[in-house]
Amino acid sequence: MDLRQKAEKRVDAKIEFQENLYKYLIVNVIIAIICLLFLQSFWLLFFVMIFWGFDVLDKFFKAYTIKDYREEMIEKEISKMGE
């Protein structure tokens, strides 16, 4: 995999995270308004926030923290084998 493909993969992951985060925020604001006006409780909002929030966090970690973790492990193994 060349450098451009790696960069495209990282950019795609960051865009996916940002889109998911915007949707998460918009939907939760709408649900909060619905809960406030009609349901008088926020159990639905908390349910959506928690379970969708796990997915948002997962996409965040994939986009911003894990940078070719598999490739790093492969390189470490190769260097160990070469010793």
Side-chain angles (χ1 to χ4, degrees):
M1 183 181 296
D2 68 339
L3 193 58
R4 179 166 176 85
Q5 288 175 334
K6 286 182 182 180
E8 287 177 356
K9 186 176 177 182
R10 287 184 185 174
V11 168
D12 290 341
K14 289 178 182 181
I15 289 171
E16 182 181 2
F17 163 70
Q18 291 171 354
E19 288 175 350
N20 198 3
L21 179 64
Y22 295 143
K23 291 174 189 175
Y24 174 80
L25 294 172
I26 291 168
V27 169
N28 280 318
V29 167
I30 292 170
I31 292 174
I33 292 169
I34 291 171
C35 287
L36 184 65
L37 295 177
F38 300 110
L39 299 178
Q40 307 302 323
S41 70
F42 291 96
W43 64 268
L44 177 63
L45 177 64
F46 294 132
F47 181 77
V48 172
M49 285 177 67
I50 289 170
F51 288 104
W52 193 355
F54 288 140
D55 184 53
V56 172
L57 283 174
D58 180 53
K59 290 188 185 330
F60 170 78
F61 288 125
K62 286 180 181 175
Y64 290 101
T65 60
I66 300 174
K67 296 180 181 176
D68 295 330
Y69 182 69
R70 183 175 182 271
E71 290 296 324
E72 290 176 14
M73 290 181 67
I74 290 171
E75 288 176 12
K76 284 181 184 178
E77 287 297 318
I78 290 172
S79 68
K80 287 180 184 177
M81 293 170 68
E83 292 178 351

